[in-house]
Amino acid sequence: MTDVYILGGHQTDFSMNWTRQEKTIFDLFSSAMQSALQETQLDPGDIQVGHVGNFVAELFAGQGMLGGFFGHVHPDLAGMPASRHEGACASGSLAILGAMADIESGRYDLACVAGIELMRNVSGQQASENLGAAIWVGEEGEKAKYIWPAMFSDLAEEYDRRYGLKYDHLAEISRINFGNARRNPNAQSRSWNFTEESFTEHDGANPVIEGWMRRQDCSQVSDGAAVIFLASAAKAKEYATARGIPLESLARIRGWGHTTAPMLMRTKLADSAGADYVLPWTRKAITDAYARAGIAGPEELDAIETHDCFSVTEYMAIEHFGVTKPGEAWRAVEDGRIGLNGAIPVNASGGLIGLGHPVGATGVRMMLDASKQVTGKAGDYQVGGARTVGTYNVGGSGTTNCSFVVGR
């Protein structure tokens, strides 16, 4: 791989409801950008290209053409080429891949990647319908009240049929992620309170949403944005020298993987019948990232940030990362290795369940958190000694799969 460095960035507070604060999607975009520029001390005039990850701003905010916001954040960004990327919940990762391609090709040396979604300005039911644009509309999910909990309940049902699944293990994943989120000052749920019954099959404390998925199994409807700056080796060295820091102190994207599976869930499951992995295209994205990073597997990772839109998604990601064999994710849940102080902490940030899930921002936020971990800047949720972190970000029902390995 050509070296692509992460110079830093910013994440907004995912607990904030921007509409209640009488602020717009532009205010969210501008706030994240201004803070990222301030934190990295970059000159806006030095940024050569912009990439925006966003799923459905048209449905939630009636707004498209998000790349045009850059020039309103700072006059020096006017005229800068920009594009928007959409891959449902993996939109942010697609924006990162676009920026990486710009840098790797030599076209540009310094790119801005912004991920954004404003989602708390509508009812929960309307949010569910808007997010349902990532299924094959008219072909699946037609009987579900809440589309995505129903789709991932179906995935849990299929996994249970193949390998067996205990709800206690899903609940423990949620408990860990909500617990980690309490350490994260930007987490949506950092001040939420739970009882022990909140992570059981208690219908009052943890009601069923759809099938296997109960309230605590589901990620949050969130407003939020995340911004990172990516640079070539030459630009990163220039940046490091100007600040009197070694180049090796900066985070670097060591590997990436990207696959797109057929959209229909039933097609995915039919295609993987008899295979070890329920979602082989997910597995390939992760192993491609390993290969490009030159690492053998999860034994060379210090932590993982993965897409837990639902607890079952993380449960299956544990296997698809290779932390356990297929059918044995329960072992990693029971033996504590995925906890914050475990052998390979998963979602030290709180993940989507605890931290929040503004859809278009999630992939960028994961990359930002991975870079914080490997540079020792994650604060109270820092994984001790972390030098290499893997990420996995998914759009749809395992349709768009993006994985990165970040290190220094």
Side-chain angles (χ1 to χ4, degrees):
M1 277 190 55
T2 301
D3 286 339
V4 177
Y5 286 84
I6 307 165
L7 304 187
H10 178 78
Q11 176 204 328
T12 64
D13 182 348
F14 284 4
S15 72
M16 183 172 171
N17 184 317
W18 288 71
T19 302
R20 288 183 183 175
Q21 299 294 324
E22 299 184 347
K23 295 181 182 296
T24 67
I25 190 170
F26 171 73
D27 294 320
L28 174 56
F29 185 97
S30 179
S31 175
M33 280 291 302
Q34 296 282 10
S35 295
L37 288 166
Q38 183 176 3
E39 289 180 26
T40 57
Q41 298 180 327
L42 283 166
D43 183 340
D46 289 338
I47 301 168
Q48 298 169 329
V49 65
H51 292 266
V52 182
N54 175 265
F55 177 28
V56 277
E58 288 88 349
L59 295 182
F60 281 98
Q63 182 66 61
M65 197 59 74
L66 300 184
F69 280 165
F70 282 109
H72 292 281
V73 171
H74 194 282
D76 287 349
L77 297 175
M80 179 188 71
S83 57
R84 173 184 169 187
H85 305 259
E86 186 278 309
C89 301
S91 297
S93 288
L94 296 185
I96 292 169
L97 288 168
M100 288 175 63
D102 273 343
I103 291 168
E104 290 169 323
S105 71
R107 183 178 293 177
Y108 303 110
D109 286 314
L110 181 58
C112 175
V113 183
I116 183 170
E117 211 78 60
L118 183 78
M119 301 167 60
R120 298 177 70 187
N121 59 336
V122 301
S123 68
Q125 182 62 48
Q126 185 61 54
S128 177
E129 292 175 9
N130 290 352
L131 295 172
I135 67 169
W136 190 332
V137 178
E139 293 291 331
E140 57 184 343
E142 294 178 287
K143 296 181 180 179
K145 180 178 181 181
Y146 297 106
I147 293 170
W148 288 112
M151 294 289 285
F152 281 89
S153 175
D154 289 347
L155 188 61
E157 189 67 32
E158 176 63 17
Y159 183 94
D160 182 48
R161 187 187 68 78
R162 296 188 191 187
Y163 292 114
L165 181 63
K166 289 185 177 180
Y167 181 74
D168 289 352
H169 295 133
L170 300 182
E172 180 62 11
I173 284 172
S174 298
R175 189 191 66 78
I176 290 170
N177 290 350
F178 277 119
N180 289 346
R182 298 187 74 84
R183 298 170 173 267
N184 189 334
N186 289 315
Q188 186 171 351
S189 71
R190 62 186 183 267
S191 299
W192 294 9
N193 294 312
F194 299 96
T195 67
E196 283 302 314
E197 290 180 330
S198 299
F199 301 101
T200 68
E201 294 178 89
H202 190 287
D203 289 340
N206 193 19
V208 171
I209 305 301
E210 293 276 0
W212 279 83
M213 298 296 98
R214 293 174 176 268
R215 183 167 61 196
Q216 265 67 265
D217 295 295
C218 305
S219 60
Q220 312 309 314
V221 174
S222 317
D223 293 343
V227 173
I228 57 172
F229 297 102
L230 302 183
S232 66
K235 179 60 73 171
K237 185 175 182 179
E238 177 185 312
Y239 177 85
T241 300
R243 285 152 184 79
I245 60 175
L247 178 64
E248 294 76 16
S249 68
L250 298 176
R252 177 168 64 92
I253 300 174
R254 294 181 55 189
W256 60 272
H258 174 206
T259 64
T260 305
M263 186 178 294
L264 288 172
M265 174 74 87
R266 61 178 177 267
T267 301
K268 295 182 184 75
L269 298 182
D271 288 350
S272 72
D276 288 339
Y277 293 96
V278 177
L279 297 172
W281 295 114
T282 295
R283 174 65 175 166
K284 186 178 188 303
I286 293 169
T287 55
D288 282 353
Y290 288 161
R292 289 189 173 102
I295 66 175
E299 61 273 14
E300 297 184 57
L301 298 178
D302 298 303
I304 289 171
E305 280 290 323
T306 195
H307 198 104
D308 57 321
C309 51
F310 299 95
S311 56
V312 70
T313 324
E314 178 174 330
Y315 187 91
M316 296 181 67
I318 290 168
E319 297 178 3
H320 288 66
F321 268 100
V323 175
T324 71
K325 295 178 180 179
E328 297 185 3
W330 61 271
R331 295 184 185 274
V333 178
E334 288 193 359
D335 66 22
R337 79 185 85 164
I338 64 170
L340 188 60
N341 297 313
I344 184 164
V346 176
N347 288 340
S349 65
L352 286 62
I353 285 175
L355 170 55
H357 183 30
V359 171
T362 287
V364 183
R365 191 279 304 165
M366 285 182 175
M367 182 66 76
L368 178 61
D369 265 324
S371 70
K372 287 179 180 178
Q373 288 290 349
V374 302
T375 56
K377 297 178 180 178
D380 289 343
Y381 60 99
Q382 178 69 49
V383 174
R387 294 185 64 85
T388 307
V389 175
T391 74
Y392 171 63
N393 183 205
V394 60
S397 56
T399 304
T400 301
N401 302 280
C402 298
S403 180
F404 297 94
V405 174
V406 178
R408 65 175 177 88

